[in-house]
Amino acid sequence: MSVVTQQVKDLATEAGFDLVGVAAATAPKTWDAFSRWLSLGYAGEMAYLERNPSRRADPAAILPGARSLLCVGALYHPGSSASTHEDRPTGRVSCYAQGDDYHDVLIPRLRSVLERIQARWPGTEGNVYVDTGPVLERDFAKEAGLGWFGKHTNLINKQVGSYFFLGEILLTLDLEPDTPAADHCGTCTRCMTACPTDAIVAPYELDSRKCISYLTIELRGAIPKTLREGVGDWVYGCDVCQDVCPWTIKHGRVTKDPALAPKPDRDRPALADLLRLDQAGFSERFRKSPIKRTKRRGLLRNAAVALGNVGTRSDVPVLSDALRDPEPLVRAHAAWALGRIGGDEATDVLREARSSEKEEDVRSEIDDALCAVGAEL
Ligand code: B12
Ligand code: SF4
């Protein structure tokens, strides 16, 4: 490896990144797979993925003279969960979202690496990305040897598993590329069979519209009724396909990075507490967390679905309050949850809400819920 390449990699390691590699700034190898994925509609409402195709297809279109990508990985699995809430139903939060927002941690860290590169090699231009730009991050990270595409589509690394974030610096500096990681999935299909919503429609192909991560984070409107049961108790993201992977079980490593460590009460929030959050409470509780992305109404929608799946009749009062929430989205999903829980109290609450509900979509959810509990309309 050239001296410059080694020195650049050392700067990233010194900054605290767990995985470091280099890819050439050429067109992404999986561009055709990406285009096909878009054309099949698998991106759902994530319209930003269709923007700037020419920039996504060619790093030099983002940064003229781009030669290399310094690709990094940062472990984020927090280890075993600590929270308990006696017997109250709780929701699950993906382990990537139990700490502070990783963009806020990793972007400044990569910028400081770029500044050190520019100080040592004056005239070098560079752009920093963590999820934020028109870059197929997994494609370049794979080329840089950080891991291979698992059948669940996440990159897996032989030494550490798949629980790591990706980031990269696009550079005009000429660095020596690493050897791409070889595929070690073999005939295993555990992630595909374990996915609760059958979102992994073929090996290496994910239909986002079915993925719990998309449904609980990216989707702004109602969660399709046919998928709500599969969402289970997840209220933000999902880890199932990675948790069942033999590479996670045998080699998965926990983060040692204090900046990405879990925050109290983020892994297993009590669902009733989430449903009672007003705007000020939501903003305060999730100010530094990635969870703020769903906005209050998205998180309360998710909490209602989870309560419909794991709640009991003692949760009817909190769902009854949610039926009066100012957000129609929350009222609609609270109605669905009451229909799942059933019983006389839930039926009375639904009937009462129906008489005053003005929004057609919500009324239709209430009607379906009343049907589900066997009540006459
Ligand atoms: C959009 C997006 C999503 C969408 C779509 C996910 C997806 N699979 O594409 C949704 C909201 C569902 C999502 C969910 C998650 N995401 Co996301 N997401 C992204 C984002 C912004 C773009 C990804 C993208 O371009 N997708 C387009 C499709 C076509 O890409 P793909 O599915 O990876 O498909 C590739 C391969 O399958 C390959 N391929 C296709 N066919 C074949 C055939 C063979 C034989 C082979 C070998 C390969 C291959 O080519 C495709 C194109 O590159 C990236 C950040 C970025 N800018 O890259 C983060 C990113 C991919 N997400 C990340 C994470 C952590 C997650 C979650 C784990 C979060 C969670 N726990 O809820 C889940 C994982 C769900 C899953 N099983 O993928 C990390 C992944 C890190 C890693 N180790 O891989 C990234 C890189 C963010 C980051 N900076 O760390 N995400
Ligand atoms: S994150 Fe969950 S829902 Fe999405 S593909 Fe993996 S197991 Fe399926």
Side-chain angles (χ1 to χ4, degrees):
M1 187 188 317
S2 77
V3 177
V4 176
T5 305
Q6 187 59 58
Q7 287 174 343
V8 168
K9 285 183 175 178
D10 289 348
L11 291 176
T13 308
E14 283 160 23
F17 290 105
D18 301 289
L19 305 170
V20 180
V22 169
T26 49
K29 303 271 184 301
T30 57
W31 177 255
D32 289 347
F34 175 71
S35 303
R36 186 184 118 84
W37 184 83
L38 285 180
S39 67
L40 288 168
Y42 290 160
E45 291 178 3
M46 296 181 290
Y48 68 91
L49 290 169
E50 306 201 32
R51 272 181 232 136
N52 300 320
S54 55
R55 285 158 74 82
R56 211 176 278 270
D58 178 13
I62 318 179
L63 179 71
R67 301 287 303 155
S68 325
L69 280 119
L70 177 65
C71 298
V72 297
L75 291 170
Y76 63 79
H77 199 290
S80 55
S81 144
S83 302
T84 52
H85 286 275
E86 297 114 29
D87 290 332
R88 300 165 71 202
T90 54
R92 270 192 289 176
V93 171
S94 159
C95 59
Y96 95 86
Q98 294 174 17
D100 284 344
D101 193 327
Y102 64 99
H103 303 97
D104 299 341
V105 174
L106 302 181
I107 292 175
R109 203 177 276 178
L110 277 177
R111 286 209 181 111
S112 78
V113 174
L114 175 59
E115 278 165 21
R116 293 184 69 192
I117 293 172
Q118 287 171 324
R120 210 174 286 182
W121 293 279
T124 304
E125 300 287 334
N127 287 352
V128 161
Y129 299 102
V130 178
D131 232 6
T132 38
V135 179
L136 285 183
E137 298 192 320
R138 298 201 263 217
D139 182 286
F140 290 111
K142 187 221 171 222
E143 291 303 308
L146 266 53
W148 70 92
F149 282 109
K151 287 177 188 166
H152 48 39
T153 76
N154 294 292
L155 231 54
I156 308 176
N157 176 287
K158 225 174 165 179
Q159 271 79 42
V160 302
S162 62
Y163 284 119
F164 55 91
F165 296 121
L166 295 176
E168 50 281 320
I169 312 181
L170 183 57
L171 290 164
T172 52
L173 207 56
D174 226 336
L175 302 176
E176 206 175 308
D178 280 279
T179 310
D183 189 325
H184 293 281
C185 284
T187 54
C188 176
T189 51
R190 275 195 221 178
C191 56
M192 300 178 69
T193 351
C195 173
T197 46
D198 294 328
I200 310 169
V201 290
Y204 317 103
E205 211 165 71
L206 181 90
D207 184 347
S208 301
R209 297 167 302 180
K210 292 182 175 176
C211 176
I212 296 168
S213 184
Y214 170 82
L215 296 170
T216 55
I217 304 173
E218 302 296 329
L219 183 69
R220 296 286 165 244
I223 297 179
K225 283 200 187 108
T226 49
L227 295 171
R228 288 180 196 166
E229 192 178 345
V231 170
D233 58 352
W234 290 103
V235 290
Y236 194 88
C238 167
D239 294 330
V240 173
C241 52
Q242 297 188 84
D243 276 349
V244 299
C245 173
W247 289 98
T248 301
I249 295 165
K250 280 200 212 118
H251 302 279
R253 281 226 333 250
V254 167
T255 183
K256 292 200 178 101
D257 191 334
L260 294 172
K263 295 287 174 292
D265 210 22
R266 291 252 183 93
D267 56 340
R268 278 274 180 191
L271 292 168
D273 292 352
L274 295 183
L275 267 179
R276 288 201 181 93
L277 284 171
D278 60 13
Q279 186 53 54
F282 173 84
S283 305
E284 171 57 26
R285 185 162 172 182
F286 298 113
R287 198 164 37 97
K288 289 182 153 188
S289 153
I291 295 179
K292 61 183 177 300
R293 184 169 173 83
T294 55
K295 307 211 169 17
R296 172 185 175 273
R297 64 199 184 106
L299 186 66
L300 270 64
R301 168 199 66 185
N302 302 343
V305 169
L307 260 190
N309 288 324
V310 298
T312 63
R313 292 192 179 176
S314 58
D315 299 305
V316 170
V318 71
L319 285 165
S320 163
D321 290 346
L323 264 188
R324 289 188 291 272
D325 195 274
E327 291 285 354
L329 189 69
V330 177
R331 300 203 293 279
H333 289 75
W336 178 82
L338 285 161
R340 293 266 297 171
I341 290 174
D344 292 345
E345 199 188 343
T347 310
D348 291 348
V349 161
L350 284 163
R351 278 219 176 91
E352 197 192 318
R354 187 175 190 271
S355 62
S356 56
E357 181 58 58
K358 302 272 184 303
E359 292 280 335
E360 207 175 301
D361 289 356
V362 185
R363 270 177 76 92
S364 148
E365 289 270 5
I366 294 175
D367 288 350
D368 288 353
L370 281 166
C371 282
V373 297
E376 282 181 22
L377 295 181

